[in-house]
Amino acid sequence: MTREQLRERVRKLPLSPGVYLHKDRTGKVIYVGKAKALRNRVSNYFQTPERLNAKTRQLVSHIDDFDIIVTETEFEALVLENSMIKKYKPKYNILLKDDKGYPYIRLTVQADYPSFSVVSKPAQDGARYFGPYPGRVAARRAIDTISEALQLKTCSRVFPRDIGKDRPCLNQHLGRCCAPCTGRVPPEEYKALIAQAIALFEGNAKALERELNEKMAEASEQLQFERAAVLRDRLRAVQKLGSRQHVVAGAFAELDVIAFVQGETRACVCVLHYGGGALQDKEYTLFHVTESDPPEVLAAFIKQYYAQRGAAPKTVLLSHELEEQEAIAEYLSSIAERRVELAVPQRGERRTLTRLAEKNAREEIERREQQSERRHKSLELLQNVTGMIALPLRLEAYDISNFAGQDTVGSMVVFIEGQPKKSDYRKFKIECAANGQDDYASMREMLTRRVQRYVDGDEKFSPLPNAFLIDGGLGHVRICKEVLDSFRLDTPCFGMVKDDKHRTRALIAPDGREFGISATPALFALIGRIQEEVHRFAITYNRQLGGKKVRGSTLDKIPSVGDKRRSELLRHFGSIDAIKKASESDLTRVVPRNTAHAVYEYFHTEDKQ
């Protein structure tokens, strides 16, 4: 569609609120926006180019068509815009990563002995939910902290069903659990502890301290000194917990302070979470430098940020005034199910808080830019040492792994500017290894499949890297060179050679030249990190395939053999038959003596039977 045709369509648009979707020649949505008046807003994109900033000019150059969705109110348009951005993930919109996840803590209050767990989101199931939390680690830490303070169970056993089925675990002996598994803790007593845990999760530590003080004094007056001592210890644990209240608090407190700061090469949004008058947590989101106005970036961030988390605080202080501030406040209120205040303080204590957020954002930009500069220097070192023509901004590393000679897999990891880009990682199930272990043939198959996908135009395997790094020696890197030659590609490739301590000592080229890296700490750290990551990724995939098959094997019937010992035995001997034929002394070289004896006795007793 020509510019004039687009302008003609714009003239016919209504002066109603709504959402517009810009599309490219293929019909793909490349930008989603909202407007109070669609005709006025969309017409701005088709004015003279000199009046547009560079980012908007680039967007407009790719617009071939657009759609609109008319809404009743600006608020409806805002909600719909956020939904469309999440659905289409347009190239020219500011997008937040949606994979972090902000989990909740779930409490089964209906059970006789309630238990905590970490879940992705609340459900209408009668349970109590606390959060959201910055991540699963933070949620798990909150559960562990409160459980230890109140001596709650952390095991997966269900009571009263499992009472008396097994002896108490180590937590009882360490004084970390009241041991309901013994049957000596009635449901009413355990639920009283749970009520105290709920008070802590809800931030009522001071009220709980007063309650425990009163109960302790009452127990002393009644000469119940043992009970008074228990309450005293619990009170001390709760008081100690008070200094770590941020560990227990969810991701959203009473007040959030959000600031946007732009540096030379990147921009940062900093969020400070406050509760009880104290700073509880902070989060950073970094962007590459954008020519968008700070209010536009901040508005896009806030809408997506709170929508992803499904909660919002009572007050949000901002560093910049937003064009659609009232509509966004209404949107956050709908998420929080209560009124949320959006404010841009100009003076006083609130302004001090936004300045602090700006300072934190600036410091984070400086820190990231310093890190980026160090990584860039490491890449320059790699370029100089190996003689590569281009700076290796994109590196790909490859490794082969198998489980006891079976389930051979390959892994490909990608590093962009010295940082792993996990969305570009790929894994391969090797087909040629069905008849036996052959690392060279496996490497050839993996690399051939990878390059062929690139040649076929598969976007998931584009572009090619500036260099291929192979976990292996001269033989492996020559296989890589042969594959590249067969496709008439001249991309550099190097093998990552390890020393006798299993540390990367050098890179080796297909012609046999070695480039030492151990004397250059920055380069040594970079290559070592890449090699560890590609190995980890291969092992993880390998375990997903092979580990499942050996579960339920003969070794699982031996009481002293767990996952770790089973893996050690299979890795060393290669098969169950080989383990069966091994002497007890052979087994002792691989696993502890008592395990070796149990394995040897099991197989030889089995043979006699």
Side-chain angles (χ1 to χ4, degrees):
M1 196 175 290
T2 65
R3 296 295 107 178
E4 192 53 45
Q5 288 173 322
L6 289 170
R7 290 192 185 99
E8 185 60 32
R9 279 198 62 197
V10 170
R11 293 188 194 105
K12 297 177 181 178
L13 293 179
L15 288 169
S16 305
V19 171
Y20 55 92
L21 298 87
H22 289 317
K23 299 180 179 181
D24 63 13
R25 287 184 178 85
T26 66
K28 183 178 181 181
V29 175
I30 57 175
Y31 186 81
V32 173
K34 80 152 194 63
K36 288 182 182 178
L38 282 165
R39 186 196 306 167
N40 296 343
R41 183 72 183 95
V42 178
S43 65
N44 289 337
Y45 290 94
F46 303 106
Q47 56 187 312
T48 54
E50 292 75 19
R51 300 179 66 180
L52 303 173
N53 62 38
K55 179 190 172 185
T56 307
R57 282 199 300 272
Q58 187 179 14
L59 164 63
V60 171
S61 69
H62 289 90
I63 296 175
D64 188 66
D65 196 3
F66 65 83
D67 283 338
I68 64 163
I69 304 173
V70 178
T71 60
E72 289 290 331
T73 65
E74 185 186 2
F75 171 70
E76 287 180 12
L78 191 151
V79 174
L80 181 59
E81 176 200 30
N82 214 42
S83 173
M84 292 293 101
I85 290 173
K86 189 171 184 179
K87 178 180 179 180
Y88 291 111
K89 295 182 171 53
K91 178 179 179 180
Y92 291 97
N93 280 95
I94 293 167
L95 302 173
L96 300 190
K97 290 183 179 179
D98 195 20
D99 58 355
K100 181 177 180 181
Y102 281 71
Y104 288 75
I105 291 175
R106 179 177 183 269
L107 175 63
T108 55
V109 288
Q110 312 99 318
D112 291 333
Y113 292 86
S115 60
F116 294 102
S117 60
V118 179
V119 297
S120 299
K121 56 185 178 181
Q124 299 295 327
D125 57 0
R128 286 286 299 270
Y129 290 89
F130 308 95
Y133 283 79
R136 287 186 173 269
V137 172
R140 191 74 250 172
R141 189 186 300 124
I143 293 174
D144 291 343
T145 301
I146 287 183
S147 296
E148 183 177 345
L150 300 178
Q151 296 185 332
L152 300 174
K153 78 180 188 74
T154 55
C155 63
S156 60
R157 284 181 279 183
V158 178
F159 305 121
R161 185 194 69 188
D162 296 335
I163 287 178
K165 285 190 177 180
D166 203 353
R167 61 184 180 182
C169 65
L170 188 61
N171 280 341
Q172 186 210 19
H173 302 292
L174 294 175
R176 293 180 178 176
C177 181
C178 61
C181 55
T182 60
R184 294 195 290 268
V185 182
E188 298 75 20
E189 185 178 330
Y190 194 79
K191 284 188 174 181
L193 294 175
I194 291 295
Q196 294 173 5
I198 291 172
L200 289 175
F201 275 117
E202 292 179 339
N204 298 325
K206 294 296 181 184
L208 178 57
E209 286 179 29
R210 287 194 297 272
E211 179 189 334
L212 291 173
N213 257 317
E214 290 170 4
K215 287 184 176 180
M216 184 175 65
E218 183 183 332
S220 296
E221 288 174 5
Q222 296 175 1
L223 305 181
Q224 297 177 353
F225 298 118
E226 287 186 10
R227 174 168 167 73
V230 170
L231 291 167
R232 178 203 62 201
D233 293 340
R234 191 175 303 159
L235 175 62
R236 287 175 179 172
V238 171
Q239 288 171 335
K240 185 179 178 182
L241 190 63
S243 63
R244 302 174 61 201
Q245 186 62 33
H246 66 281
V247 174
V248 178
F252 297 94
E254 302 159 5
L255 169 72
D256 280 358
V257 183
I258 305 179
F260 173 81
V261 173
Q262 190 155 311
E264 291 182 9
T265 59
R266 48 173 53 85
C268 177
V269 173
C270 174
V271 184
L272 303 180
H273 301 292
Y274 285 87
L279 178 62
Q280 291 185 344
D281 197 9
K282 60 182 176 181
E283 294 182 73
Y284 301 104
T285 301
L286 282 102
F287 308 90
H288 288 293
V289 163
T290 170
E291 291 196 20
S292 303
D293 293 331
E296 181 185 344
V297 177
L298 208 50
F301 172 86
I302 289 168
K303 288 181 285 187
Q304 294 180 59
Y305 180 81
Y306 289 111
Q308 285 180 14
R309 288 145 184 80
K314 297 175 183 175
T315 306
V316 180
L317 303 182
L318 306 174
S319 61
H320 297 78
E321 192 87 34
L322 306 182
E323 182 182 340
E324 49 197 15
Q325 194 155 307
E326 287 185 15
I328 292 177
E330 187 180 353
Y331 179 54
L332 298 190
S333 299
S334 70
I335 291 173
E337 297 181 348
R338 53 172 164 70
R339 183 177 178 275
V340 174
E341 177 194 6
L342 274 183
V344 184
Q346 303 298 321
R347 62 183 66 84
E349 187 177 340
R350 284 185 159 195
R351 178 60 182 133
T352 302
L353 294 178
T354 57
R355 284 199 186 101
L356 180 61
E358 289 169 350
K359 181 181 179 182
N360 275 272
R362 248 179 245 107
E363 289 177 352
E364 184 64 15
I365 289 172
E366 289 174 10
R367 188 177 71 84
R368 295 296 183 95
E369 287 180 346
Q370 289 170 1
Q371 288 179 345
S372 179
E373 189 177 336
R374 285 196 296 269
R375 289 195 299 269
H376 204 271
K377 286 181 179 177
S378 297
L379 296 175
E380 287 177 350
L381 283 171
L382 178 59
Q383 180 186 14
N384 295 335
V385 166
T386 58
M388 281 188 276
I389 297 172
L391 186 68
L393 295 176
R394 181 184 176 99
L395 293 167
E396 290 182 8
Y398 296 82
D399 190 19
I400 296 292
S401 178
N402 63 78
F403 192 91
Q406 299 177 341
D407 299 308
T408 302
V409 300
S411 66
M412 160 186 156
V413 303
V414 179
F415 276 63
I416 305 291
E417 296 184 16
Q419 284 284 82
K421 187 179 181 184
K422 296 193 175 183
S423 60
D424 282 6
Y425 284 17
R426 300 289 178 263
K427 46 195 178 185
F428 303 80
K429 192 171 182 180
I430 303 301
E431 297 167 0
C432 72
N435 299 323
Q437 182 178 343
D438 187 337
D439 270 10
Y440 290 160
S442 300
M443 184 64 72
R444 184 187 300 277
E445 179 189 324
M446 174 168 59
L447 292 168
T448 301
R449 285 164 59 185
R450 185 265 179 268
V451 179
Q452 186 64 57
R453 295 285 285 273
Y454 164 76
V455 171
D456 292 342
D458 190 334
E459 291 183 0
K460 293 181 179 179
F461 287 84
S462 296
L464 286 176
N466 298 111
F468 287 86
L469 299 177
I470 311 299
D471 189 8
L474 185 58
H476 289 88
V477 77
R478 282 180 173 167
I479 293 293
C480 181
K481 176 65 173 168
E482 289 172 12
V483 171
L484 294 174
D485 287 346
S486 69
F487 286 93
R488 297 182 180 178
L489 298 172
D490 58 358
T491 308
C493 56
F494 305 95
M496 297 181 285
V497 184
K498 296 179 180 178
D499 60 19
D500 53 2
K501 294 182 180 178
H502 216 64
R503 295 176 306 185
T504 311
R505 65 171 177 81
L507 296 174
I508 188 167
D511 59 10
R513 289 177 299 143
E514 277 200 13
F515 307 100
I517 61 172
S518 54
T520 312
L523 188 53
F524 179 77
L526 172 66
I527 300 301
R529 184 183 177 201
I530 292 173
Q531 190 164 30
E532 286 176 9
E533 178 65 1
V534 70
H535 184 64
R536 178 202 65 79
F537 191 54
I539 289 291
T540 301
Y541 182 42
N542 178 256
R543 284 174 178 165
Q544 288 173 358
L545 295 179
K548 291 176 184 176
K549 291 187 179 181
V550 297
R551 287 183 178 89
S553 70
T554 309
L555 292 175
D556 287 333
K557 299 175 183 177
I558 306 173
S560 59
V561 177
D563 289 348
K564 182 180 178 183
R565 300 303 180 210
R566 179 185 58 218
S567 298
E568 289 171 347
L569 288 165
L570 286 170
R571 192 178 299 117
H572 182 83
F573 292 102
S575 69
I576 297 291
D577 286 340
I579 295 171
K580 207 170 182 180
K581 295 173 184 176
S583 66
E584 188 169 343
S585 60
D586 290 335
L587 294 167
T588 306
R589 296 190 186 99
V590 183
V591 293
R593 187 178 299 278
N594 62 328
T595 304
H597 179 73
V599 172
Y600 183 80
E601 284 293 311
Y602 177 84
F603 284 122
H604 285 267
T605 303
E606 188 183 60
D607 288 342
K608 290 173 187 175
Q609 292 174 348

